[in-house]
Amino acid sequence: MAAVYKKIGIIGAMVEEIDLLHKHVQVTGSFDKAGITYVEGTLHGRPVLFCKSGVGKVNAAVCTQLMIDAGVDCVLFTGVAGAVDPSLNIGDIVVSTTCIQHDMDCTPLGFVRGQIPFQDVWEFQADPQLIELALGACERLFPGRSTRGRILSGDQFIASRETVRLLHQELNGACTEMEGAALAQVCAMNETPFVVIRAMSDKADGTAHVNFADFTVEAAVNSHRIIDDMIQHM
């Protein structure tokens, strides 16, 4: 039986995404907490709560927990990422299957890279129904430009070809960014379904400063279209 989401949490990494949500959501209220503004309303008749997370894993974790405390029963996260899988191109979209913190590295203590010491779960599984909703939206809107894959997160802006190669080989990552795995861990701890959707802004190989600015507005528009389509099909 398909899950029914009574209140949908939407977290954007870019201010451009949040501006688009302001324009399309029928806003009913807002509140500020921990320096983050949360906006409530309806989109296609469904209750939503949305906000901009800020950069990095701590911002994402705090933002996600406060959103869950405010009553959402699923979380959708959108933004841009650097491609790690060499088959991905700028503009392609990765829908998370799992999320791992690539900068969690206790290998000198005998743990594998990404493993959170003394914790049973450290690879966080996205919700299957939300994955299919996201992939369906991507295929309707951007045929042939989306895939499912493992998203790697860390408080590092990756711009090294060698690091990209290692992340792909060691962790089998599709892309790398700075928030998704933190959000995923908080959702897992709260038993809250989630999915992370990332548009490739660069190859994470040192050319990001050239591509990122030009791609941000386009990525924000595309991310909004995906979320809009998902909610229509929920």
Side-chain angles (χ1 to χ4, degrees):
M1 181 182 294
V4 177
Y5 305 112
K6 297 178 181 179
K7 189 174 185 180
I8 302 158
I10 306 168
I11 302 177
M14 298 177 290
V15 67
E16 291 85 357
E17 294 175 80
I18 302 307
D19 288 344
L20 285 167
L21 284 167
H22 271 289
K23 292 177 181 178
H24 291 88
V25 170
Q26 293 181 296
V27 174
T28 58
S30 66
F31 61 91
D32 293 334
K33 196 159 188 178
I36 301 167
T37 299
Y38 296 83
V39 182
E40 298 177 288
T42 58
L43 182 60
H44 300 296
R46 294 186 175 274
V48 297
L49 179 67
F50 67 90
C51 68
K52 183 171 79 71
S53 64
V55 176
K57 292 190 300 180
V58 172
N59 279 328
V62 171
C63 173
T64 304
Q65 185 62 60
L66 291 175
M67 182 167 274
I68 292 170
D69 290 345
V72 304
D73 50 17
C74 72
V75 180
L76 316 178
F77 189 100
T78 62
V80 297
V84 170
D85 184 334
S87 69
L88 292 170
N89 295 305
I90 293 172
D92 287 350
I93 300 160
V94 174
V95 175
S96 65
T97 51
T98 63
C99 297
I100 292 178
Q101 298 178 58
H102 69 76
D103 62 348
M104 177 61 71
D105 188 354
C106 293
T107 50
L109 300 177
F111 300 96
V112 299
R113 185 171 182 176
Q115 183 176 4
I116 302 170
F118 316 114
Q119 186 164 310
D120 292 337
V121 178
W122 46 274
E123 180 178 6
F124 302 103
Q125 306 281 334
D127 180 70
Q129 181 171 311
L130 293 178
I131 292 172
E132 294 307 319
L133 279 167
L135 288 170
C138 290
E139 194 55 33
R140 284 186 288 272
L141 296 167
F142 314 107
R145 299 302 303 275
S146 63
T147 187
R148 65 185 77 207
R150 176 182 286 169
I151 291 180
L152 310 179
S153 305
D155 286 324
Q156 302 168 355
F157 193 91
I158 305 299
S160 160
R161 288 179 174 85
E162 178 62 16
T163 303
V164 167
R165 184 184 67 81
L166 290 173
L167 289 176
H168 185 55
Q169 289 182 351
E170 290 183 17
L171 294 175
N172 193 30
C175 63
T176 180
E177 37 86 300
M178 301 176 75
E179 294 87 25
L183 171 144
Q185 182 174 350
V186 173
C187 285
M189 293 169 73
N190 287 274
E191 299 183 339
T192 300
F194 77 90
V195 71
V196 178
I197 305 159
R198 291 288 192 175
M200 301 304 99
S201 61
D202 60 89
K203 290 278 196 175
D205 60 2
T207 60
H209 64 287
V210 175
N211 301 319
F212 185 80
D214 293 337
F215 188 73
T216 299
V217 174
E218 178 185 346
V221 171
N222 292 348
S223 294
H224 174 77
R225 291 179 66 193
I226 292 167
I227 294 295
D228 190 80
D229 187 280
M230 288 178 68
I231 290 175
Q232 288 186 65
H233 285 85
M234 281 184 173

